[in-house]
């Protein structure tokens, strides 16, 4: 099946710094990737839709200047959390579509902001 | 707007028995897809099964089957012959096919399943 990777798997950063998370589709090309956020014991909430070669589409309530998304190629999307604060600590998961109804998820990145 | 409801926050099931996880949905889209994902403690989301709203037959994938009742707007997941490795969170999700919402998945709140030996 299609494989999506994320890097890093875990990251700890200090408040006020920025952190970049990479999402790669390893064996297929994905014109669209998605970024989700999951708080402990909660469901996944879509943050934004990342489109190759164009601006990301953010969900209501998600600050686009804080969560910068770049989809530079058909296999790579990045999420940068700028000026991170402790409340940004969460599990961030990306996904990419291989075929129209099969969305494959990365293993997730656990961000802790101290 | 779409909404997915999973009313069972947690369930215990005996090993080798079957378990049904409930999922109801609400949408105004005429065409949509329904998904089930498994999330073990490691956090990865594992795709289990898909059902299209116009599919004539209920989807099956190995030990997973989807009991799709369109009129009731329900898409329950049945796991047969439960195994210890089935212990995980299970999420029901929906996506419209086309339209302004594009390919966005909406997830339910999840059901935690614990398989007892």
């Amino acid at each position: 099946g299609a494989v999506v990777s994320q890097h890093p798997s875990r990251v700890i950063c200090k408040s006020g710094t920025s952190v970049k998370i990479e999402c790669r589709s390893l064996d297929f090309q994905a014109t669209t990737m998605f970024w989700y956020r999951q708080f402990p014991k909660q469901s996944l909430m879509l943050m934004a839709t990342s489109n190759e070669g164009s601006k990301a589409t953010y969900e209501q309530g998600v600050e686009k200047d804080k969560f910068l998304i770049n989809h530079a190629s058909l296999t790579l999307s990045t999420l940068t959390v700028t000026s991170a604060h402790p409340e940004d600590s969460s599990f961030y998961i990306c996904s990419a579509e291989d075929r129209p109804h099969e969305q494959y998820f990365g293993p997730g990145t656990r961000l802790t902001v101290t | 707007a779409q909404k997915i409801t999973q009313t069972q926050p947690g369930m215990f099931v005996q090993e080798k028995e079957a378990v049904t996880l409930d999922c109801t949905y609400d949408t105004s889209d005429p065409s949509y897809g329904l998904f089930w994902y498994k999330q073990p403690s490691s956090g990865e989301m594992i795709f289990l099964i898909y059902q299209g709203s116009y599919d004539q037959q209920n989807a099956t994938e190995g030990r997973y089957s989807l009991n799709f009742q369109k009129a009731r707007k329900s898409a329950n997941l049945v796991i047969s012959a439960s195994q210890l490795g089935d212990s995980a969170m299970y999420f029901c999700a929906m996506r419209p096919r086309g339209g302004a919402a594009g390919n966005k998945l909406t997830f339910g709140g999840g059901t935690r399943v614990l398989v007892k030996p």
Side-chain angles (χ1 to χ4, degrees):
Chain A
V3 179
V4 177
S5 70
Q6 275 185 250
H7 178 80
S9 57
R10 289 178 177 269
V11 58
I12 300 173
C13 69
K14 291 187 176 182
S15 186
T17 63
S18 296
V19 60
K20 180 184 285 187
I21 303 170
E22 292 186 348
C23 176
R24 294 182 185 272
S25 56
L26 297 185
D27 50 2
F28 66 99
Q29 293 183 330
T31 54
T32 303
M33 293 183 175
F34 304 88
W35 287 96
Y36 297 84
R37 184 174 180 174
Q38 185 180 28
F39 290 108
K41 301 187 187 301
Q42 294 189 23
S43 187
L44 279 74
M45 296 298 295
L46 180 66
M47 299 175 65
T49 302
S50 170
N51 301 295
E52 188 268 337
S54 64
K55 292 182 179 180
T57 303
Y58 290 82
E59 294 301 299
Q60 192 172 8
V62 177
E63 300 176 60
K64 60 181 66 177
D65 293 332
K66 181 169 187 60
F67 299 100
L68 301 179
I69 291 172
N70 183 273
H71 196 149
S73 75
L74 289 172
T75 59
L76 173 64
S77 176
T78 60
L79 168 68
T80 302
V81 183
T82 63
S83 187
H85 288 95
E87 56 265 30
D88 298 325
S89 298
S90 188
F91 192 57
Y92 293 87
I93 311 176
C94 72
S95 71
E97 281 200 333
D98 177 17
R99 285 174 283 178
H101 59 260
E102 290 191 18
Q103 196 171 120
Y104 291 90
F105 286 79
T109 296
R110 191 163 303 281
L111 170 64
T112 303
V113 184
T114 61
Chain B
Q2 302 169 84
K3 186 176 180 181
I4 298 282
T5 303
Q6 294 180 251
T7 57
Q8 307 150 311
M11 297 183 69
F12 286 100
V13 59
Q14 199 67 41
E15 190 179 11
K16 299 181 184 178
E17 292 186 350
V19 61
T20 298
L21 308 184
D22 295 341
C23 173
T24 58
Y25 60 91
D26 191 20
T27 182
S28 57
D29 294 294
S31 181
Y32 48 89
L34 295 156
F35 304 75
W36 277 93
Y37 289 89
K38 171 184 178 181
Q39 186 179 41
S41 57
S42 58
E44 61 188 305
M45 294 288 285
I46 302 169
F47 168 74
L48 296 179
I49 196 167
Y50 166 83
Q51 177 84 45
S53 60
Y54 285 105
D55 292 345
Q56 294 297 315
Q57 292 186 324
N58 285 348
T60 60
E61 288 286 349
R63 294 188 298 110
Y64 304 107
S65 60
L66 203 151
N67 183 2
F68 179 47
Q69 298 188 44
K70 192 172 182 178
R72 294 186 177 184
K73 293 189 175 181
S74 73
N76 299 340
L77 176 70
V78 179
I79 305 174
S80 61
S82 296
Q83 302 172 357
L84 296 179
D86 293 335
S87 295
M89 280 290 288
Y90 289 81
F91 291 98
C92 179
M94 180 172 68
R95 189 190 74 187
R97 302 182 76 165
N103 299 332
K104 296 191 291 187
L105 278 171
T106 300
F107 285 86
T111 296
R112 181 168 297 281
V113 172
L114 184 60
V115 181
K116 298 187 293 183

